[in-house]
Amino acid sequence: MRVVGIDPGSLACGYGIVEHAAGGTLRCVDYGTIVLPARDKLHDRLRLLHETLLEMLHRNRPDEAAVEKVFFARSVKSALSLGQARGVALLCIAEAGIPYGEYSPNEVKKAVVGYGKAEKRQVQEMVRMILSLGELPPPDSADALALAICHLNQFRPEG
């Protein structure tokens, strides 16, 4: 099973693809951060996000997806922008015909670190260790990979 994790944002959107490999191990297939130009208008950033996410989904062909639930924002304006970016991510997932799950940041941290209030650096380090990565993934990518790991922890293969 191959899962894409998406950590939506209107300026940076992390993604990470993790595969449930033979023997129950998890393998990182791809990860990255889609950086959207802050100088561009929101609708242009959302269009670019849509195009880039769709291309990534077609390239990696995940079986399922995991998306972070919106839990808070610093202001009403940032909450609206984040919600719109999240909507674009959900639209891309729907267009690709992929089932998905939603997880709160605390659920993801608990699944990956074992503690729901873990700090970003702890999540990055645990993702690096779980996936045997040579380097620490960037924060948005690490969050996306952690989402995929969390989703795969919910999946119990038969046999």
Side-chain angles (χ1 to χ4, degrees):
M1 160 129 46
R2 183 178 279 199
V3 174
V4 60
I6 300 175
D7 181 26
S10 62
L11 294 174
C13 177
Y15 67 89
I17 294 89
V18 177
E19 201 167 64
H20 191 266
T25 61
L26 298 180
R27 183 178 77 85
C28 178
V29 175
D30 189 18
Y31 68 84
T33 302
I34 302 165
V35 178
L36 304 164
R39 70 186 180 288
D40 288 2
K41 293 185 179 194
L42 178 61
H43 71 278
D44 290 326
R45 292 195 316 262
L46 294 175
R47 179 188 44 76
L48 179 59
L49 178 61
H50 179 260
E51 292 169 358
T52 310
L53 278 177
L54 269 184
E55 187 278 323
M56 180 274 300
L57 291 172
H58 290 301
R59 182 178 70 244
N60 288 291
R61 302 185 186 277
D63 300 303
E64 295 190 11
V67 180
E68 187 172 83
K69 288 181 186 174
V70 174
F71 65 106
F72 81 94
R74 293 184 185 126
S75 69
V76 171
K77 184 178 178 182
S78 63
L80 289 171
S81 296
L82 177 59
Q84 290 166 331
R86 190 173 178 282
V88 167
L90 293 175
L91 174 63
C92 290
I93 290 166
E95 287 178 340
I98 304 168
Y100 73 97
E102 298 177 275
Y103 304 94
S104 71
N106 286 353
E107 288 175 300
V108 174
K109 291 173 183 178
K110 190 166 185 166
V112 174
V113 179
Y115 177 59
K117 297 190 186 291
E119 295 183 20
K120 276 205 177 281
R121 179 72 179 195
Q122 291 172 295
V123 173
Q124 286 176 277
E125 185 59 38
M126 284 305 294
V127 164
R128 186 192 66 74
M129 290 172 54
I130 290 167
L131 298 174
S132 301
L133 299 175
E135 60 189 33
L136 216 56
D140 292 314
S141 299
D143 289 349
L145 288 165
L147 277 156
I149 293 167
C150 178
H151 188 78
L152 282 164
N153 284 344
Q154 309 298 315
F155 173 71
R156 301 285 182 250
E158 294 179 23

